[in-house]
Amino acid sequence: MGAGAPRGAGGGLRTSLSGLTTRGRSFVAAGVAAAVCAYVLGQGELLRVGLLLAALPLICVLALHRTRHRVTGSRRLTPTRVAAGGEARVRLRMDNTSRVPTGLLMLQDRVPYVLGPRPRFVLDRVEPGGRREVSYRVRSDLRGRYPLGPLQLRLSDPFGLVELTRSFSAFDTLTVIPRTEPLAAVRLTGESSGYGDGSRRSLALAGDDDVIPRGYRRGDDLRRVHWRSTARYGELMVRREEQPQRSKATVLLDTRQLAFEGAGPDSAFEWAVSAAASTLLHLLEQGFSVRLLTDTGDSVPGEGGGNIFSGSSAGGQESAVAAGLMMDTLAVVGHSDGAGLSRAYDAIRSGGGALGGAGSDGLLIGFFGDLDDVQTELAAKMRQRAGGAVAFVLDSATWSGWPARDSVPLPLEERLRRLRDAGWTALAAPPGVAFGELWRQAGNAPLGMGASGGWG
């Protein structure tokens, strides 16, 4: 929420005098002319009229000059993060903290053109200590981060002789994240569930026949003492406790400029970003430890041990924070200038804490654009570092309707075949397809195969 007094409030009377309207300047000119004529002709009554005409605009300037110091404004944006195509409401509030009423107030808030027309409001006289509230809505079909403000305030006197325009310094930011859709809880090939049977086992909750005790150590909680084992071994034994292990997943998003053609909400790249966002949210909800990786090798939130987001099957605060950070990243992700996937391959090969070493149960889900022969082979090798791998492949020529570029690629069917031969579950993503349907087909596809139904 932005708040405060108008910026530039201390500009002085010279700045305020520049706010005289055409009518106000005419009054001053007429007053000066009348005063000169009165002096030349010796007409005292005309002199009084001239002084009144010249003084009235100046009095209005002084009144507005004092008023602008005592008018405060604030802005409240709710929510601060919306999905593309969603609406947010902006509430503006003006407070008159002075002991005198204001004149006519005109408000104008600066917003980027993609959010709609610039909102303007006219507020009538505000009584001393009074307030006025207005609101408007903003909407964008394009994801991104958009500044709102600063708020501009134009004060006018009742006679229309003076208008002063001031800007408030505070502004807010609206984050438009990709559209997402709920995904079915399917079991992908090579996947173990976030807290699945194979990865979750708490020995403290196991039966007496399954428990694996150990010797008592100083500081152990006496409530963990396993009395049957204590009697058997003749020494104090306690239950072992293991923390549930979360399955790990990496979502790889191809952002190369060479891999996608077209722009706008219905382009192939925007579909890939939206699908990646849906996948991330779904995996977090299922309790996975997740990271977002791009072709540049950058992972979110950063390199090192902090690049894994842990979800929670209960949808706790940790999962919500992780989802927010990832959505903020996808809100502003754009095309990279890279020509290949080598950096992403190096990040996956090094593990980075997400997929672990070879033979791990980590899940790799990739969203690829156009791939040439070299990049297809590189993507195929990524499969070796994951326990399960699913690829959604987009063909720019199909999405844009333009002929394929000379630098492109292998035909779509050849790309899919090579990925499947390497062990990927590879599916083609045609224009207009709902990602939720492809996701369900990925769950039904056998290892190394595409979806049934003629899409891959």
Side-chain angles (χ1 to χ4, degrees):
M1 179 178 68
R7 185 172 56 194
L13 286 176
R14 180 176 298 180
T15 302
S16 299
L17 286 171
S18 65
L20 286 171
T21 63
T22 301
R23 180 184 299 178
R25 296 176 187 273
S26 299
F27 266 60
V28 173
V32 172
V36 172
C37 292
Y39 176 77
V40 173
L41 300 176
Q43 297 291 329
E45 294 183 358
L46 182 60
L47 178 62
R48 288 193 291 271
V49 172
L51 292 177
L52 177 62
L53 291 176
L56 184 59
L58 299 180
I59 293 174
C60 292
V61 168
L62 290 174
L64 290 184
H65 179 73
R66 290 175 57 84
T67 300
R68 68 177 182 174
H69 290 276
R70 296 177 174 86
V71 177
T72 61
S74 62
R75 181 194 303 103
R76 182 181 297 276
L77 173 63
T78 54
T80 58
R81 183 190 292 117
V82 297
E87 289 187 342
R89 179 180 290 275
V90 183
R91 292 181 172 84
L92 304 177
R93 172 175 158 179
M94 303 302 301
D95 292 271
N96 180 16
T97 60
S98 68
R99 297 180 180 179
V100 295
T102 68
L104 194 66
L105 300 180
M106 287 167 281
L107 303 181
Q108 176 177 276
D109 209 7
R110 292 185 179 180
V111 300
Y113 72 94
V114 296
L115 298 183
R118 183 169 294 183
R120 294 180 174 90
F121 304 94
V122 177
L123 303 181
D124 203 354
R125 174 179 176 274
V126 182
E127 66 278 4
R131 70 179 59 167
R132 296 289 186 272
E133 292 187 1
V134 293
S135 65
Y136 65 93
R137 293 181 179 273
V138 289
R139 178 182 182 275
S140 175
D141 291 325
L142 298 175
R143 57 187 177 81
R145 190 172 287 125
Y146 302 102
L148 301 178
L151 176 66
Q152 291 183 327
L153 171 65
R154 181 179 298 174
L155 299 90
S156 177
D157 68 284
F159 305 103
L161 302 179
V162 184
E163 286 185 356
L164 297 181
T165 301
R166 294 294 180 266
S167 294
F168 292 81
S169 58
F171 65 92
D172 293 278
T173 301
L174 174 67
T175 302
V176 181
I177 62 177
R179 291 186 180 94
T180 59
E181 57 181 299
L183 302 180
V186 300
R187 189 173 181 85
L188 302 176
T189 302
E191 170 195 349
S192 61
S193 63
Y195 284 105
D197 297 336
S199 61
R200 176 177 62 179
R201 187 182 183 194
S202 179
L203 294 180
L205 301 179
D208 288 340
D209 295 334
D210 297 328
V211 73
I212 303 176
R214 63 167 174 82
Y216 175 82
R217 297 172 185 168
R218 185 174 181 180
D220 285 339
D221 191 342
L222 292 179
R223 290 175 294 182
R224 291 169 49 197
V225 173
H226 189 250
W227 298 108
R228 179 176 297 184
S229 298
T230 298
R232 179 184 303 175
Y233 293 103
E235 61 177 312
L236 203 57
M237 306 293 290
V238 297
R239 299 174 185 267
R240 294 179 185 270
E241 289 186 353
E242 289 186 0
Q243 297 297 326
Q245 296 180 355
R246 287 170 176 168
S247 295
K248 301 170 184 177
T250 291
V251 175
L252 171 60
L253 177 62
D254 184 3
T255 65
R256 294 172 298 132
Q257 179 71 50
L258 294 174
F260 298 93
E261 291 184 3
D266 298 325
S267 64
F269 181 66
E270 291 302 320
W271 186 95
V273 173
S274 177
S278 300
T279 302
L280 289 166
L281 291 181
H282 176 73
L283 294 176
L284 285 170
E285 291 172 357
Q286 295 300 312
F288 279 78
S289 292
V290 188
R291 72 167 172 176
L292 170 65
L293 181 67
T294 66
D295 58 286
T296 61
D298 297 328
S299 58
V300 180
E303 300 298 335
N307 60 2
I308 301 299
F309 283 137
S310 296
S312 171
S313 59
Q317 182 178 4
E318 180 184 1
S319 179
V321 172
L325 290 174
M326 286 188 173
M327 293 303 103
D328 287 346
T329 300
L330 290 177
V332 296
V333 68
H335 288 296
S336 70
D337 297 329
L341 302 172
S342 58
R343 293 182 179 178
Y345 173 71
D346 292 339
I348 292 175
R349 184 176 59 179
S350 63
L355 292 175
S360 71
D361 64 346
L363 180 63
L364 175 61
I365 300 178
F367 296 89
F368 299 105
D370 291 333
L371 301 172
D372 57 21
D373 183 74
V374 174
Q375 304 312 317
T376 301
E377 291 301 318
L378 202 57
K381 292 180 181 179
M382 296 179 186
R383 173 65 180 85
Q384 302 171 2
R385 309 299 297 183
V390 181
F392 299 94
V393 185
L394 295 86
D395 183 65
S396 290
T398 304
W399 276 81
S400 64
W402 302 335
R405 296 168 295 190
D406 295 338
S407 58
V408 173
L410 295 172
L412 178 60
E413 290 300 326
E414 179 63 16
R415 284 178 257 165
L416 295 174
R417 184 190 65 80
R418 293 195 185 184
L419 291 175
R420 292 168 186 165
D421 289 345
W424 285 82
T425 298
L427 296 87
V433 65
F435 178 63
E437 179 62 26
L438 278 184
W439 181 262
R440 283 190 291 269
Q441 294 199 27
N444 297 328
L447 178 63
M449 298 298 292
S452 60
W455 280 357

